[in-house]
Amino acid sequence: MEDTEDFVGQGPHPVDNDVFKEPMKKRRRSDRDQRFRAFPSVEQSALKEYEKLESRTRRVLSNTYQKLIQSVFLDDSIPNGVKYLINRLLALIEKPSLDPIYIGLFGSTGAGKSSLINAIIQQAMFLPVSGESICTSCIVQVSSGCCEQYEAKIHLLSDQEWKEELKNLTKLLHRTEELDREEADAWDRDDAVEEAIWKLQMFYGNGAERKNYEELLRAKPKGKIPTSRIITLKAEEAGELSVKLDPYIRTQRRDLDGESAETQIWPLIKHVEVTLPKSELIPEGVVLVDIPGTGDFNSKRDEMWKKTIDKCSVIWVISDIERVSGGRAHEDLLNESIRACQRGFCRDVALVVTKTDKLHLPEYLRERKVGNRAISSQREAVLERNEMIKLQRNRILKEKLKRKLPADSKVLEASDLVYTVSAQEYWQQALLTEEETEIPRLRGSIRKRLLDKKRMMVTKYVTEAFGLLLLTDSFNCTENLPNEYLHMSGLRRFVEEKIQLLEKAIDQCFAHIEQPLQEGVQNARTSYRRILGACLVRSRGNQGFHQTLKAVCLKNGIYASRTLARIDLNEAITQPIYDQIDPVFGGIFRTGKPTDSTLLPHIEAFKNSLQEKMMEIGVRNGWKYDSYKKSFLIQEISAILGGLEDYILRKKRRIYESLTTSVQNDLKPCYEEAAQIAGKKACERMKDVIRRGVDRQVAERMFERAQERMQHQFQQLKNGITEKVKGSIATMLTLASSQGDGLYKELADVQSEYKEMEKLHRSLREVAENAVLRRGMQDFLLRMSPSKTAPPKA
């Protein structure tokens, strides 16, 4: 079934006939060392120890793999157990060292995202910056690698994706009837119309806005489009690449004459990937993502916008000091970030307040309400104001997170929820020291996250590899086969009983969402007209809103512009449901202490019960001389059920978005009807069609259907979990059972590899203890060292 297709686990792999595949080459030592340049010496030492552990483990696995291949190479048929083992070894050998950590910088126009990235990577004007105007026009990913040059890849829309956008752009510009002067003026001032005209003129030239879709399909673009739909730029220096890259990612001015060949294909750009060589500030494995605040009119770019937000494990909401205290745009960004915690991989949200060097001293002193301490300089005022902002925004953000997330969410325990930074002062240091700009604090938080993830990954990797070596070494052992068969039979019965209990526990867990869902549906039924009315009203009436509303309908209720706040009618009218379910939904998918409503601890309890049963059977029934097999089973259970967490997190997004997706699908006919309206009073007529369409669907149980579809998604998740658990554990028990079943054969002697792996497994604790000791020494030295002097008083 579809819910089990995208299971990405670490458990047993299906038996593969291609068992003679060559594992990938090891990373050279010099390349590995380059990865640590961004870390101070204490952290470098810890990382090198973990890297050494991982490298030696991969070498042991590779040697074992080669021995097994040689022992079965000439066989006519290879037993399933040996195929299983070879495939598992190969999968571990080729497992990526570390999945990228995506840190999303999410902010409105002019908030300072690009300036902040430039400061973090120590390249002053690398990404375009320009005061309050929009500069970065698309998603830009910045990471470091082991390459020798600076490199950028500009990814373009495919031919089909551009045709889809072109069709919608021409529909927006199509007038079937004559308008009176007032309506024509409003149509010309419409934001959606202005953007559509601008894109077509830039791509096809002046006059393109007067042509229809078929004519534009035959027209020749002004710029040259590579067949690969990827443009690669390289340079020896950062400044050189910046100059080359600028025309592709800077938002182009609409009054610009004589644009370059690069700007002519600007409407096609989907996203940009930039790779820095061997950065001493950003470690390899971290990706900084500059995310525009509103999404995009093009479906593919808008889909990428949402997926990029959802794959970020950390989101920094960027807001400049003058906008942080309010405004719809800032609230929208915070809400979208919190939704990412619910539906995506995000575990940390922080508010990064930029441009904090800006302060008008006389005005600040007049309005100051903090104590009686005298302020003698601009610097003292800035530091005092920044500390106040931190305290205020930290409290407000925590309260907002508490309303949406479970009370024991890890993000609420974070000590750093708010940063006050100044990219300008980082370079000038006229008022603030480098530390006071808090750019180093942001870098430190990045390094800590990578170090923690590396430690967890290596611990899991070494433990899983040890389990496989236990099994490999046990293949050549002999035991009392009838007794072992009885052991496995009893264990299978125990597993079946525990799976039934797990199914009941998951049902009870998911049942907690039912009442909030019902209450949310009732709230949505009573408030949807008010919410919809607010969405369809603009402060200037219909002036300049006619074609924007048409764009909303063309995109099934969603309009994302580079200049306006995002409009999503489907999300707006389902918000009362989300307001009710958010804390419970977050509780279901959180990690931490177990409760009846928390899913992952139930799976953890299931794992522990199986492992305890294996220990009990081993002690009671004669596994005294075959501790290998017992240990393998315990380790493999951890690998199987550990892989379920990734599967669950991937399904979480589909479940969370099922409400808005359901509503959007039900309202699609009314959006399509409204999109066809043109001529006089078109804006009011479109609004009327939308209102009547929503009323009709609500009367026909639209919100109740959305509720049922979410519940169905939860049921599919439960089915997917239990099917994977049943299949994987059944395979594992079969392969671990008696050699008399004909699954095994005598294999090459791997005793030396097993002993080496045993040493590596024991050394995990020593490496962790060393890291704690070094961290304590580093903290002590920092406390004892004198602080840096401040800049001269201003």
Side-chain angles (χ1 to χ4, degrees), residues 13-19 72 77-89 475 735 743:
H13 291 240
V15 172
D16 186 353
N17 290 325
D18 184 18
V19 295
V72 300
S77 63
I78 303 173
N80 284 337
V82 178
K83 286 183 182 178
Y84 165 84
L85 183 57
I86 290 173
N87 287 331
R88 288 283 280 117
L89 283 167
F475 269 25
L735 294 169
L743 293 171

Side-chain angles (χ1 to χ4, degrees), residues 391-613:
L391 293 172
Q392 292 169 359
R393 302 316 299 183
N394 188 76
R395 175 179 52 81
I396 293 169
L397 182 53
K398 273 200 173 180
E399 288 173 356
K400 193 174 187 70
L401 290 168
K402 283 179 181 177
R403 290 196 298 270
K404 295 288 185 178
L405 301 175
D408 59 348
S409 294
K410 287 187 178 179
V411 67
L412 294 173
E413 300 171 6
S415 57
D416 296 328
L417 276 179
V418 181
Y419 297 84
T420 51
V421 306
S422 171
Q424 181 169 310
E425 276 298 299
Y426 176 77
W427 300 110
Q428 297 178 355
Q429 295 186 31
L431 288 174
L432 307 175
T433 65
E434 181 177 303
E435 286 76 14
E436 287 165 347
T437 68
E438 301 209 345
I439 301 296
R441 278 187 68 210
L442 289 174
R443 290 188 189 132
S445 72
I446 292 172
R447 292 195 305 268
K448 182 180 184 302
R449 176 161 291 274
L450 185 72
L451 186 57
D452 290 346
K453 189 171 182 178
K454 184 67 176 180
R455 181 178 65 249
M456 291 172 60
M457 176 265 163
V458 171
T459 301
K460 184 177 178 182
Y461 188 79
V462 172
T463 302
E464 191 172 346
F466 182 48
L468 279 179
L469 264 294
L470 284 168
L471 177 64
T472 308
D473 194 50
S474 73
F475 269 25
N476 291 324
C477 295
T478 58
E479 282 235 21
N480 186 324
L481 302 183
N483 281 348
E484 188 176 321
Y485 179 78
L486 291 174
H487 303 163
M488 288 300 173
S489 297
L491 188 55
R492 284 192 181 95
R493 287 194 297 272
F494 178 81
V495 168
E496 289 170 2
E497 293 170 3
K498 284 296 179 180
I499 288 176
Q500 291 176 0
L501 292 175
L502 176 63
E503 287 179 311
K504 290 181 181 178
I506 294 174
D507 283 334
Q508 292 171 0
C509 172
F510 291 168
H512 286 81
I513 202 77
E514 291 178 4
Q515 184 176 346
L517 256 178
Q518 292 172 357
E519 293 172 356
V521 165
Q522 291 304 313
N523 292 347
R525 289 183 67 90
T526 58
S527 60
Y528 78 90
R529 284 196 179 99
R530 173 181 55 79
I531 294 170
L532 186 62
C535 291
L536 297 178
V537 171
R538 286 294 177 268
S539 58
R540 52 184 179 179
N542 294 336
Q543 201 174 65
F545 188 55
H546 172 197
Q547 295 303 96
T548 297
L549 185 56
K550 186 168 187 176
V552 171
C553 296
L554 285 170
K555 306 303 289 184
N556 293 323
I558 301 172
Y559 177 62
S561 161
R562 299 175 193 274
T563 55
L564 297 176
R566 185 180 179 88
I567 300 171
D568 190 333
L569 301 184
N570 313 300
E571 193 173 89
I573 60 178
T574 53
Q575 190 57 48
I577 307 179
Y578 285 112
D579 288 341
Q580 287 296 121
I581 71 167
D582 272 350
V584 178
F585 189 94
I588 289 173
F589 292 100
R590 77 173 182 265
T591 56
K593 59 184 179 183
T595 66
D596 288 343
S597 64
T598 309
L599 177 58
L600 290 174
H602 284 304
I603 295 173
E604 182 70 15
F606 172 72
K607 179 191 78 174
N608 292 338
S609 67
L610 292 190
Q611 292 176 334
E612 288 169 7
K613 186 66 175 179

